[in-house]
Amino acid sequence: MSVSGYSLSDLDKIISDMYTLKCGGSASAKILPEDQVCKLCDMAKDILQKEDNVKAVKSPVIIVGDVHGQFFDLLELFEIGGKPPYYNYLFLGDYVDRGYYSLDCVLLLVALKVRYPDRISLTRGNHECRQITQVYGFYDECLRVHGSAKVWMHFTDLFDFLPLAALVDECIFTPHGGLSPSLDRIEHVQKLDRFVEIPHEGPICDLMWSDPDDRYGWGISPRGAGYTFGQDITETYNHENGLQFIVRAHQLIMEGFQWQHGDGVLTLFSAPNYCYRCGNQAAIMQLDEDLNKSILQFDPAPRHQHGTIVKPKVKSLPDYFL
């Protein structure tokens, strides 16, 4: 049996080899050379283009926030939460940039998506685009590992196919960033043309960039994109769309998770010790079949390879908004 050209045994070997990777970066190129990476991206496109802008996800599920290229912490996450297909996962974007091993993170997640399309859901974050990845590390990593921009081009083309959000059991909405004044209802998100580079403004931009805020109403975001939105906005949106609450990522949280707006919004951040210097915990959320919630916090992988001896040479990155 094969999946669009790759045999299932081929995919199993790719995933197994990625799970046992001892050092990131160029080592992954031996598992998947450039042409095979591009082939994997094309296979993933065929799957993602059939998914809705807001992907329906069934519980039980584990929801994951930003991972940002911290590959060995992603492996630790799977040790804590369990691995697909035995456990169902929903990732909320920002797979790349910042960390040393963006390529390894996105390779493993895309391989899992192709192998188990019904057991892992990948949605888009604000870093899954061409402009941001040219500044914050992924573009340079692809050049360093593969010697050309071809792999980066294939991945950024693939990013245009990622759903904009997910909806768990029709009652938990999961954008990467937040809400938009242009989108009162979830069905409005379904009508957007998502197969584009993330715009600098507008509803797709807002879903990727907006943040909850203590102030009521809509506000100008200090990020320079998206909006801030208050508890009144959250409560109205949740009521009109029949939601229990919103789960989003996008913001560094020192404890790995934070409830806001009267428990109407949960922020998850799943990259521990972000940028290898922030000292934060990470968190993921388990939802059982009755939507009972359990937050699992974790620290950086104890056997990670982030030491100064093995870390790749990368140029200094602008701080942006940590």
Side-chain angles (χ1 to χ4, degrees):
M1 183 178 179
S2 66
V3 180
S4 302
Y6 265 123
S7 70
L8 295 185
S9 60
D10 287 340
L11 290 167
D12 287 338
K13 186 175 189 311
I14 291 167
I15 293 166
S16 176
D17 289 347
M18 293 297 295
Y19 276 143
T20 57
L21 203 60
K22 301 301 182 185
C23 58
S26 60
S28 65
K30 298 177 182 177
I31 297 173
L32 271 188
E34 181 181 272
D35 61 333
Q36 294 184 40
V37 174
C38 297
K39 179 180 178 181
L40 187 68
C41 288
D42 290 340
M43 294 164 63
K45 282 183 189 177
D46 291 339
I47 295 168
L48 292 171
Q49 69 179 351
K50 299 171 186 175
E51 297 184 346
D52 290 334
N53 286 354
V54 181
K55 186 179 188 298
V57 174
K58 297 293 185 183
S59 63
V61 64
I62 298 171
I63 304 179
V64 182
D66 300 23
V67 295
H68 273 305
Q70 297 184 198
F71 178 68
F72 296 97
D73 296 321
L74 175 61
L75 296 185
E76 181 73 2
L77 185 158
F78 282 132
E79 289 298 318
I80 293 166
K83 296 175 181 175
Y86 307 105
Y87 295 87
N88 185 24
Y89 276 88
L90 167 58
F91 284 81
L92 303 186
D94 279 13
Y95 314 111
V96 299
D97 289 339
R98 297 296 195 178
Y100 297 142
Y101 309 115
S102 294
L103 193 51
D104 303 302
C105 283
V106 75
L107 272 174
L108 176 57
L109 292 174
V110 170
L112 287 167
K113 179 65 180 177
V114 173
R115 178 62 178 88
Y116 307 113
D118 298 324
R119 299 297 288 169
I120 182 167
S121 299
L122 303 177
T123 60
R124 194 172 193 175
N126 63 301
H127 278 259
E128 275 71 60
C129 71
R130 295 163 186 82
Q131 182 179 9
I132 298 294
T133 53
Q134 288 184 73
V135 178
Y136 293 100
F138 184 49
Y139 175 81
D140 293 314
E141 183 180 332
C142 291
L143 285 182
R144 186 177 68 250
V145 171
H146 289 284
S148 79
K150 185 177 179 181
V151 164
W152 173 80
M153 292 172 64
H154 270 73
F155 271 118
T156 50
D157 286 347
L158 172 64
F159 294 160
D160 291 344
F161 286 70
L162 290 168
L164 301 176
L167 186 64
V168 180
D169 287 357
E170 299 186 350
C171 63
I172 299 172
F173 183 56
T174 67
H176 173 75
L179 303 179
S180 170
S182 303
L183 301 167
D184 295 330
R185 303 189 65 85
I186 289 174
E187 52 259 39
H188 298 163
V189 183
Q190 298 283 29
K191 296 176 181 178
L192 297 172
D193 176 12
R194 81 170 190 263
F195 300 97
V196 295
E197 172 78 337
I198 296 173
H200 295 292
E201 59 184 10
I204 292 177
C205 173
D206 299 340
L207 292 167
M208 301 296 126
W209 283 91
S210 293
D211 297 297
D213 194 69
D214 293 335
R215 296 167 295 181
Y216 275 54
W218 296 102
I220 297 172
S221 173
R223 296 178 184 269
Y227 292 86
T228 62
F229 57 97
Q231 182 170 339
D232 55 331
I233 303 297
T234 295
E235 290 175 348
T236 299
Y237 192 87
N238 287 351
H239 175 74
E240 292 186 354
N241 289 279
L243 302 176
Q244 290 189 17
F245 54 91
I246 295 164
V247 183
R248 40 90 66 178
H250 193 45
Q251 282 182 296
L252 169 64
I253 304 294
M254 292 306 294
E255 292 77 27
F257 74 101
Q258 182 181 29
W259 287 99
Q260 293 172 270
H261 296 178
D263 292 349
V265 178
L266 172 66
T267 298
L268 287 176
F269 197 80
S270 304
N273 192 29
Y274 182 43
C275 296
Y276 315 112
R277 61 185 170 90
C278 288
N280 61 289
Q281 286 187 293
I284 56 180
M285 183 173 72
Q286 294 177 322
L287 289 170
D288 69 14
E289 58 273 10
D290 297 316
L291 296 181
N292 295 310
K293 304 179 291 291
S294 177
I295 303 288
L296 300 180
Q297 295 169 286
F298 62 100
D299 294 312
R303 296 177 302 279
H304 66 67
Q305 302 290 318
H306 297 155
T308 55
I309 295 175
V310 298
K311 75 179 184 181
K313 295 180 180 179
V314 295
K315 70 181 183 181
S316 179
L317 301 177
D319 273 349
Y320 167 61
F321 279 89
L322 285 176

